[in-house]
Amino acid sequence: MISPMQAGQEGHTEGAPSRRPVMRRFETYVLSEILPLLVAALSALIVLLMLKGLEDVLAPLLAKGASPALVAQLLALNVPEAMAFGLPLALMFAALLGLSRLSGDSEIKAALSGGIPGTTLFRPVLLLAALVTLLSFGINEVLVTRAKVQAQSVQRQIVLDNPRVIGLAQTAGGGLVLRDALDRAISVGSVGEDGTLRNLRIVTMQPGLPPREVITAREGVLQEGSNVLELRGGQRVSYQGARPVTVLNFETGQLPVQDVQASFDGGSGLDPFYLPLGTLKERTDGYRDSGIRSPGDFTALYRKFAQPLSALALAFFAVSLALYTFRSGLNLGLVWALLLSFAYYATWSVFRVMGENGALPAPVAAFGPDVIALLAGALLLWRASRQ
């Protein structure tokens, strides 16, 4: 493959008519430097996310006697999410590392001395970022939304196949939460050695309003392979607004769970971000018309677009930083690429949590990290132009 130095010399001697093919060869050279790093970084991120899931949930599941086949299926269903989330971050890491290598070996300097403008770096990287944006959005909408629903079904099969796995929540300091087709959240406080569930709480939710009904039970029994949860020593309280209107005590009762979905992380159901875009848009429109405040849903709606678009923002930042370091004589390496990638991930996490809790407006929480990356890139370009 022709080097940028050779490309610059060829463009300089042959004149302006040959500048375009020379620039194209330079752009191809830049992409050939970044693409292998992108594949490697994405693979590493997927492995790291899978290992984290294995440590947090999957290993305890196996220790409690869950079916290895079901656990493996659960692990595989998390791969699309890791890909959609990891693509923009892997692109920034690959661009930082690849362009740093070109700068450190004076290949950017050779290209500039051959008449290729520094802004030529933006074209291949931003085109690649646009493809990554579309791919990330498509994976999230087509694969992740389906995989998350299937994952909850697999978790339900794990629970029904062996109720002892519910005990893993005790070691994590949380509790298992189930959610059925009637939008009732079923939380389990603890589980006995014999599989008896203790401190059960079943809440019938109303979006943006207090619960409509709350059922508590001292204990419950879910037989292996059964679709019915037997409650013992319980109480059922119905509410009108925030005021209880009916209180019933019972010794035993039965709760069908054939449509139940499980969440081993203690969550209250499927994250709205994993809903199809049309479904989430319809839900938020309903909330907006009814005056219901649901920051988590609105933040998830804007994240649908902000998360894939982060590839463009991060690519712009990476190229701007490469030009700045070249002008200033600095040299970024692996450590700096890792630190900057972690800094973006930390910023993204903080903004997301603040948005979901209503501390920041939903558009700010979703697009804030992308805007910060764009502003930082613009500042670096301005500083580079003055050097």
Side-chain angles (χ1 to χ4, degrees):
M1 180 177 292
I2 187 169
S3 71
M5 175 66 80
Q6 294 170 326
Q9 292 174 348
E10 180 182 340
H12 183 71
T13 57
E14 294 181 6
S18 63
R19 183 68 56 82
R20 188 177 298 275
V22 171
M23 292 174 61
R24 287 179 179 173
R25 285 197 293 270
F26 178 71
E27 292 171 353
T28 303
Y29 184 75
V30 171
L31 286 177
S32 68
E33 187 71 25
I34 294 176
L35 280 173
L37 293 172
L38 173 60
V39 174
L42 180 60
S43 302
L45 278 174
I46 292 176
V47 171
L48 288 175
L49 291 172
M50 294 298 98
L51 289 176
K52 184 179 184 301
L54 181 66
E55 178 185 4
D56 293 345
V57 174
L58 302 183
L61 280 176
L62 291 172
K64 288 292 182 179
S67 168
L70 291 176
V71 173
Q73 187 178 353
L74 186 61
L75 181 64
L77 288 170
N78 284 313
V79 172
E81 180 188 8
M83 289 184 61
F85 174 78
L87 270 169
L89 201 59
L91 175 62
M92 183 181 76
F93 177 83
L96 286 173
L97 204 57
L99 295 178
S100 174
R101 207 281 301 169
L102 294 178
S103 177
D105 291 349
S106 300
E107 296 194 45
I108 294 179
K109 182 178 181 179
L112 294 178
S113 65
I116 298 177
T119 52
T120 306
L121 284 172
F122 282 99
R123 178 181 171 86
V125 179
L126 291 182
L127 283 176
L128 178 60
L131 291 176
V132 168
T133 296
L134 294 175
L135 183 60
S136 178
F137 183 83
I139 291 175
N140 187 64
E141 283 304 300
V142 177
L143 298 179
V144 176
T145 52
R146 298 177 182 177
K148 281 297 179 180
V149 174
Q150 294 175 11
Q152 288 196 320
S153 297
V154 172
Q155 290 178 112
R156 167 187 172 269
Q157 295 177 38
I158 292 174
V159 172
L160 297 181
D161 181 67
N162 184 1
R164 289 184 64 249
V165 302
I166 298 175
L168 70 89
Q170 292 176 288
T171 61
L176 177 76
V177 173
L178 309 173
R179 184 172 290 270
D180 66 9
L182 299 179
D183 200 30
R184 292 182 295 193
I186 309 168
S187 64
V188 180
S190 62
V191 60
E193 291 296 330
D194 58 351
T196 300
L197 313 181
R198 301 192 180 98
N199 300 323
L200 293 161
R201 183 179 177 87
I202 301 97
V203 181
T204 304
M205 302 300 299
Q206 302 178 97
L209 297 174
R212 186 172 67 248
E213 181 182 79
V214 176
I215 300 174
T216 57
R218 182 182 70 253
E219 62 182 28
V221 176
L222 181 63
Q223 301 294 336
E224 294 187 13
S226 172
N227 288 326
V228 176
L229 177 62
E230 182 180 344
L231 305 177
R232 300 170 182 170
Q235 184 181 78
R236 174 182 175 181
V237 182
S238 300
Y239 293 86
Q240 185 174 10
R243 182 171 58 89
V245 293
T246 304
V247 178
L248 296 175
N249 296 314
F250 59 88
E251 288 296 325
T252 61
Q254 292 185 336
L255 182 69
V257 294
Q258 64 267 20
D259 296 320
V260 80
Q261 301 295 337
S263 175
F264 290 123
D265 58 5
S268 59
L270 186 65
D271 187 330
F273 178 74
Y274 301 122
L275 295 173
L277 179 58
T279 302
L280 183 57
K281 181 66 166 57
E282 183 178 347
R283 176 190 289 189
T284 53
D285 286 344
Y287 289 166
R288 190 177 288 110
D289 295 339
S290 303
I292 297 175
R293 186 174 180 272
S294 181
D297 291 274
F298 284 99
T299 300
L301 177 63
Y302 288 106
R303 280 178 55 209
K304 287 278 191 180
F305 302 96
Q307 188 164 307
L309 286 172
S310 65
L312 286 168
L314 295 176
F316 175 78
F317 170 77
V319 179
S320 301
L321 182 59
L323 291 175
Y324 172 75
T325 55
F326 164 72
R327 296 287 187 183
S328 60
L330 300 175
N331 186 26
L332 291 177
L334 176 62
V335 175
W336 271 105
L338 288 171
L339 287 176
L340 289 171
S341 300
F342 176 78
Y344 175 80
Y345 174 75
T347 304
W348 173 84
S349 300
V350 171
F351 271 69
R352 188 198 68 180
V353 172
M354 294 180 70
E356 292 174 348
N357 288 279
L360 285 176
V364 175
F367 289 98
D370 296 352
V371 173
I372 291 174
L374 289 173
L375 292 176
L379 178 61
L380 290 170
L381 280 181
W382 176 77
R383 291 289 301 274
S385 67
R386 296 175 62 87
Q387 292 177 347

